[in-house]
Amino acid sequence: MGTEKMNTEARRRQIAEAALELIARQGVKELRVAAIARHIGLVPSALYRHFRGKDAVVDAILELLRARLLANVAAVRAETDDPLEQLRRLLLRHVELICTYQGILRLILSDEIAGAAPIRRRAAYSVLQAYLHEVAAIVRSGQKAGVIRHNAEADTVAVMFLGLIQSGAILWHMSGGLFGLEKQARSGWRVFRESIVARDDGARRGKKAAGRDT
Amino acid sequence: MGTEKMNTEARRRQIAEAALELIARQGVKELRVAAIARHIGLVPSALYRHFRGKDAVVDAILELLRARLLANVAAVRAETDDPLEQLRRLLLRHVELICTYQGILRLILSDEIAGAAPIRRRAAYSVLQAYLHEVAAIVRSGQKAGVIRHNAEADTVAVMFLGLIQSGAILWHMSGGLFGLEKQARSGWRVFRESIVARDDGARRGKKAAGRDT
DNA sequence: TGTACATCAGTGAACGCGCGTTCACTGATGTAC
DNA sequence: TGTACATCAGTGAACGCGCGTTCACTGATGTAC
């Protein structure tokens, strides 16, 4: 109807963002090409002028997600130099991201991605890996600075870090917001911190205790 | 055809188990009433003799899952009396469960459950909560026995425990089995253990350090 | 112990809905001369 | 600067597929007399 034309590049961005917002507000189930199109005042078929198909839109969402995750890392790096504090802030930002875009976790595990062709899964995997890589880098910088234990393997810690809110996020999601995600994040952080912080105020016990039950 | 009759109770169990196995082997996408029925030599419509619809089958799967999770708890309790060792073994069993029934995690976050009516989500939530409740009980018994720190809140620790493999499981899933889940579980456990173990071999530092950044 | 009837699991055809995708078109925008 | 043509975003109708579900039926199993 009265929809004015836009060049493809601008539309692509607009469509991807609309799709992400749709997921955020309504969940994966509502991610239909008809819904996406309607959301920006287009007719479903118009979407095919800019994307090969629904799959391509999902790819665009993944890229948006990658950008958001890495932006969080960049932000906490700018805010403080203390690696432990960087991790703590990143955790809170991550929780906020998950709360805002509830459904993102579901998208990643949905048929659109996890149940799709290997190429698609690889794309999602690479996004997660890029994020983990940055987290691990923070951990390593903490080890270098002597505030994080050396015997806590950085990659392992990064995955744990991710898991710290992931299970909470799922519970939060299932409970319909009842489960106190932010509280879990805060108290989880305290416990987590304890597991990686360097104990320079005592004997070098960390190493011995950690190797005890391999 | 030559399919012999069975009473409903037996069929119900058979159908639920077939559905679970289907998810295990092929993922949520393959969870179609046609596929389930074919898997046990029935015609799709026959399934409606025993279940009100597909939703009811999903409910049955959830119950099966609850049983498997609680069975793991019971098993580790029988194997050892040491709470820390119980947790470690439970973790390994959990990893095994997830590897065997890959797709269970996806089922929980799929449209069939997470995207469904609140009643359905509550059912899944209650399964997870029951499991978490048992894990927290183990943690508390560890605190009572003095092998787990008292200032690590049991419920928080339980959620962390769940998250310890959950993020790993997702990575494992996305990478198509490439990501070393069991290795992650083992090294993750070492770090996690460090965060909850009571430090009776030094001063009572744990309390002070943990409260530092609330 | 045999006959008659009710119950109930299994069948197969068909329906219907949701949804992604296609296609011939229209009308606006930008460009060459 | 105006005209003619190519390009391209947006339209709406229609298609087609997958899949859950319904329904009238058949034939076996179990039970009452």
Side-chain angles (χ1 to χ4, degrees):
Chain A
M1 288 260 139
T3 315
E4 56 185 291
K5 285 185 166 190
M6 261 174 112
N7 70 70
T8 267
E9 202 189 342
R11 270 289 189 231
R12 281 181 66 92
R13 215 176 313 131
Q14 195 190 12
I15 289 171
E17 266 158 18
L20 185 60
E21 199 189 316
L22 223 58
I23 289 182
R25 296 203 313 204
Q26 330 244 53
V28 218
K29 197 152 200 177
E30 292 305 303
L31 191 68
R32 289 172 297 223
V33 320
I36 300 170
R38 208 181 315 123
H39 196 258
I40 54 174
L42 284 186
V43 106
S45 54
L47 202 139
Y48 290 83
R49 287 276 160 244
H50 313 286
F51 286 96
R52 216 185 45 257
K54 194 188 175 183
D55 283 359
V57 177
V58 173
D59 285 340
I61 296 174
L62 277 179
E63 284 317 304
L64 229 50
L65 180 59
R66 161 183 271 135
R68 295 277 201 285
L69 289 172
L70 297 183
N72 274 356
V73 174
V76 300
R77 279 214 177 104
E79 284 172 14
T80 173
D81 279 340
D82 175 14
L84 277 176
E85 181 62 15
Q86 283 174 351
L87 285 179
R88 193 183 69 87
R89 291 184 181 217
L90 188 57
L91 186 71
L92 295 180
R93 277 177 179 271
H94 195 98
V95 167
E96 200 191 328
L97 189 77
I98 284 183
C99 287
T100 308
Y101 299 105
Q102 43 171 303
I104 265 194
L105 193 59
R106 282 182 57 205
L107 174 71
I108 287 186
L109 286 172
S110 72
D111 287 333
E112 320 285 353
I113 293 181
I119 314 109
R120 168 79 24 110
R121 277 190 308 186
R122 288 301 163 110
Y125 188 48
S126 93
V127 171
L128 292 181
Q129 271 197 319
Y131 190 53
L132 285 174
H133 189 263
E134 293 302 314
V135 175
I138 295 181
V139 173
R140 284 199 191 89
S141 77
Q143 292 174 326
K144 216 165 213 165
V147 293
I148 293 182
R149 289 165 43 211
H150 281 83
N151 60 342
E153 219 265 302
D155 293 312
T156 299
V157 173
V159 176
M160 283 182 69
F161 178 81
L162 205 62
L164 195 49
I165 356 83
Q166 220 160 63
S167 59
I170 289 177
L171 289 166
W172 173 74
H173 192 275
M174 308 243 74
S175 71
L178 239 134
F179 181 84
L181 182 54
E182 213 177 309
K183 181 177 168 293
Q184 168 69 31
R186 289 181 190 281
S187 56
W189 166 254
R190 281 199 298 273
V191 179
F192 178 69
R193 185 186 186 286
E194 191 68 12
S195 72
I196 59 170
V197 76
R199 330 194 164 287
D200 45 8
D201 50 356
R204 199 170 272 110
R205 265 183 311 94
K207 226 161 200 164
K208 249 173 64 193
R212 218 151 78 192
D213 46 4
T214 319
Chain B
M1 292 252 142
T3 315
E4 58 184 290
K5 287 184 167 191
M6 261 174 112
N7 69 73
T8 266
E9 202 190 341
R11 271 288 190 232
R12 281 182 65 93
R13 215 175 314 131
Q14 195 191 11
I15 290 172
E17 267 159 17
L20 186 60
E21 199 189 319
L22 223 59
I23 288 183
R25 295 202 313 205
Q26 330 243 54
V28 217
K29 199 153 197 175
E30 292 306 303
L31 191 67
R32 288 172 297 225
V33 321
I36 300 170
R38 208 181 313 123
H39 195 258
I40 54 174
L42 284 186
V43 105
S45 55
L47 200 138
Y48 291 82
R49 287 274 160 245
H50 313 288
F51 287 95
R52 214 184 48 256
K54 195 188 175 184
D55 284 359
V57 178
V58 173
D59 285 339
I61 297 176
L62 277 179
E63 283 317 302
L64 229 51
L65 179 59
R66 160 181 272 136
R68 295 277 203 282
L69 289 172
L70 296 183
N72 274 357
V73 173
V76 300
R77 279 214 175 103
E79 284 172 13
T80 172
D81 279 340
D82 175 15
L84 278 176
E85 181 62 15
Q86 283 174 350
L87 285 179
R88 193 182 68 88
R89 292 185 181 214
L90 188 56
L91 186 71
L92 296 180
R93 277 177 178 271
H94 195 97
V95 168
E96 200 191 329
L97 188 77
I98 284 183
C99 287
T100 308
Y101 299 106
Q102 45 171 301
I104 265 195
L105 193 58
R106 281 182 57 207
L107 174 70
I108 287 186
L109 286 173
S110 72
D111 287 333
E112 321 283 353
I113 293 180
I119 315 109
R120 170 79 23 110
R121 276 189 309 186
R122 290 300 163 108
Y125 187 49
S126 94
V127 171
L128 291 181
Q129 271 197 321
Y131 189 53
L132 284 173
H133 189 262
E134 293 302 315
V135 175
I138 295 181
V139 173
R140 285 199 190 88
S141 77
Q143 292 174 325
K144 214 165 213 166
V147 292
I148 292 181
R149 289 165 42 213
H150 280 83
N151 60 342
E153 218 266 302
D155 291 313
T156 300
V157 172
V159 175
M160 283 182 69
F161 178 81
L162 204 62
L164 195 52
I165 357 83
Q166 219 161 63
S167 59
I170 289 177
L171 289 165
W172 173 73
H173 192 274
M174 310 243 72
S175 71
L178 238 133
F179 180 84
L181 182 55
E182 213 177 310
K183 182 178 169 291
Q184 168 69 29
R186 287 181 191 281
S187 56
W189 166 254
R190 281 198 298 273
V191 178
F192 177 69
R193 184 186 186 285
E194 191 67 12
S195 73
I196 59 169
V197 76
R199 330 197 164 288
D200 45 7
D201 49 357
R204 200 170 271 110
R205 266 183 310 91
K207 225 163 201 164
K208 249 173 65 192
R212 221 152 74 193
D213 47 4
T214 319

